[in-house]
Amino acid sequence: MRYARALVMALLAIGGAAGAGCKDKEPEKAAPQTAETKTSAAPASDTIVIGHVGSMTGNEATFGQSSDNGMKLAVEEQNKKNGIKGKKIVLKTYDDQGKPEEAAVAATRLVTQDKVLTFLGEVSSSRSIAMGPVADSNKIPMISNSSTNPKVTKDGDKTRPFVFRVCFIDPFQGTVMAKFAAENKKWKKVAILRDVGNDYSVGLANFFTETFKKLGGDIVDDVSYKAGDQDFKAQLTKLKSKGAEAFYVPGYYTDVALIARQAKELGIKVPLMGGDGWDSEKLYEISKGALDGSFFSNHYSPEDTSPQVKDFIAKYKATYNSVPDAHAVLGYDAANVAFHAMETAKELTGPAIREEVEKTKDFPGVSGKITLNKDHNADKPAVVIGIEKNAPKYAATISP
């Protein structure tokens, strides 16, 4: 339902933007409920504008903020190297407030008003799914940094020609945690608590279930919640009596942290497991230690000792005085994949850049070498992060 509503909003927005294009003598009006920031400014003739749509506010605000920080670093570095084809890069970021319909409106505004050559984002799959039709209909490449649901790059059975991503997808991420539960931890019984209003959560729960059962595991119960709920005790009380050795909770960090605290209050001692939607410093702040002993899949670990990771962490800490999370890393990687495509494109047009993005192979990202497959998804390994003393701790690496 969210997807359908968002798509309708996107199409309405496209139509509205086209109509607005006939009124170019009128003063520009700010789009409702969006916020804009510029990272740099230069004469229009000497610039290339790229866009970012992210949740800069709302319950998943750290997703958008971290992604934007990574992208800004990439822009700064590229501009120090004389930009692209001698033109400086300008990054425009719009806040979608964590809403798919706002994401579609923001993407449309970037394309029709700001004339971007590429736009980056979103982290959330539901919001990226809403943005995909805007990219295709306007022939402007969109590179999602962290959306993992398979539907992001798909239009039915067909691959969306202008939509790409630099992260792995949920069938692999669900498999990673199912293997970790069955093979590394030797757990036989797992219960699931999923966000039924979130494509990411529903997809990840389904893929985990499929693989865990193939490995001989049993899903003892599968209950639901909706993002923004405050009381999860009814679901947790039901799951408590099922004899599960772990709960799989593939939601976003705010909900997961509250679920963990209420599970602890109910005397539930089994660990929780989840996906990359847990990755935020707010997870530890809100959960207050209730997630100790739990695990989640992710795109990178700050404990990685490779020179590329160490160098990025050092630059990020010098700029933002914090350790980057995976969304910052993937924002940086998504921007650099776009820049490489622009540099090698025969001309700076959406279709020409799209051709080069599609050729991406063994690109040296901070999150690992990035090769885009025929479905425009990145094939790359995942890491499993454990939580000890209310802090992340590397646990394992799982390859495709």
Side-chain angles (χ1 to χ4, degrees):
M1 290 298 291
R2 280 188 174 191
Y3 169 51
R5 186 168 62 248
L7 179 57
V8 169
M9 292 296 293
L11 293 174
L12 289 172
I14 293 168
C22 297
K23 302 175 181 178
D24 54 359
K25 298 298 184 183
E26 294 182 3
E28 291 182 354
K29 296 178 180 179
Q33 298 181 321
T34 59
E36 174 182 346
T37 59
K38 289 184 179 181
T39 59
S40 60
S45 59
D46 297 328
T47 63
I48 292 172
V49 183
I50 66 168
H52 172 216
V53 180
S55 53
M56 306 301 287
T57 59
N59 286 340
E60 295 103 40
T62 68
F63 288 170
Q65 293 164 2
S66 292
S67 300
D68 206 55
N69 288 344
M71 293 168 192
K72 287 175 180 174
L73 272 184
V75 169
E76 182 180 343
E77 290 178 4
Q78 190 68 34
N79 280 338
K80 286 181 178 177
K81 294 185 287 187
N82 201 29
I84 294 171
K85 301 183 189 298
K87 296 176 180 289
K88 294 292 184 183
I89 303 163
V90 173
L91 174 68
K92 279 202 167 186
T93 297
Y94 288 139
D95 177 17
D96 61 27
Q97 306 165 60
K99 301 173 183 177
E101 58 271 24
E102 290 293 337
V105 170
T108 302
R109 184 181 178 192
L110 284 169
V111 171
T112 60
Q113 179 177 305
D114 300 310
K115 308 297 182 186
V116 297
L117 287 176
T118 298
F119 60 92
L120 311 175
E122 236 269 4
V123 167
S124 157
S125 294
S126 295
R127 300 192 283 272
S128 285
I129 288 170
M131 293 157 57
V134 179
D136 279 353
S137 62
N138 289 281
K139 297 184 178 180
I140 294 295
M142 161 185 158
I143 304 176
S144 168
N145 42 319
S146 309
S147 292
T148 52
N149 188 290
K151 290 187 291 186
V152 168
T153 59
K154 287 290 188 180
D155 181 11
D157 294 333
K158 297 180 180 178
T159 299
R160 287 196 175 281
F162 282 82
V163 180
F164 305 85
R165 71 180 117 205
V166 295
C167 58
F168 50 65
I169 60 175
D170 288 339
F172 174 62
Q173 187 173 197
T175 297
V176 164
M177 289 312 293
K179 281 187 173 181
F180 182 76
E183 297 176 354
N184 293 52
K185 307 305 285 188
K186 310 297 182 187
W187 291 328
K188 299 294 185 183
K189 297 180 179 180
V190 170
I192 289 178
L193 181 54
R194 67 173 81 193
D195 176 359
V196 290
N198 184 326
D199 292 311
Y200 161 81
S201 183
V202 171
L204 207 45
N206 289 342
F207 294 121
F208 176 91
T209 297
E210 181 181 341
T211 303
F212 192 63
K213 286 182 175 178
K214 285 181 180 177
L215 295 172
D218 183 21
I219 302 298
V220 296
D221 206 345
D222 188 336
V223 298
S224 63
Y225 69 94
K226 283 193 174 182
D229 288 350
Q230 298 297 309
D231 188 349
F232 305 92
K233 289 185 177 176
Q235 297 97 317
L236 290 167
T237 299
K238 183 172 185 285
L239 296 183
K240 184 180 179 180
S241 63
K242 300 295 183 178
E245 297 164 279
F247 294 172
Y248 188 56
V249 191
Y252 291 153
Y253 59 87
T254 301
D255 297 325
V256 170
L258 291 175
I259 288 168
R261 285 172 54 179
Q262 292 177 25
K264 187 176 182 179
E265 290 169 8
L266 291 170
I268 295 172
K269 297 181 179 179
V270 301
L272 306 188
M273 297 184 291
D276 57 336
W278 287 26
D279 190 27
S280 169
E281 60 184 13
K282 292 289 184 183
L283 180 80
Y284 310 101
E285 181 181 319
I286 299 170
S287 66
K288 300 182 184 299
L291 280 164
D292 280 359
S294 297
F295 301 90
F296 65 98
S297 50
N298 206 4
H299 304 268
Y300 107 115
S301 167
E303 296 174 70
D304 189 330
T305 58
S306 69
Q308 203 157 10
V309 171
K310 291 175 66 175
D311 178 61
F312 178 75
I313 291 175
K315 289 185 293 190
Y316 193 94
K317 289 176 72 173
T319 304
Y320 301 110
N321 196 32
S322 64
V323 176
D325 59 22
H327 304 295
V329 168
L330 290 169
Y332 181 82
D333 283 352
N336 279 316
V337 165
F339 299 158
H340 181 262
M342 290 177 182
E343 285 179 323
T344 55
K346 60 185 178 184
E347 59 185 15
L348 290 174
T349 63
I353 296 167
R354 188 211 78 86
E355 284 185 25
E356 296 304 311
V357 175
E358 193 170 49
K359 294 176 184 175
T360 300
K361 183 178 181 181
D362 291 333
F363 183 84
V366 176
S367 62
K369 287 187 177 180
I370 298 169
T371 296
L372 299 184
N373 61 29
K374 64 180 178 59
D375 293 321
H376 295 177
N377 304 321
D379 293 325
K380 57 204 303 188
V383 298
V384 177
I385 303 293
I387 299 176
E388 298 179 9
K389 298 181 180 179
N390 204 29
K393 185 73 175 176
Y394 170 82
T397 296
I398 309 290
S399 297

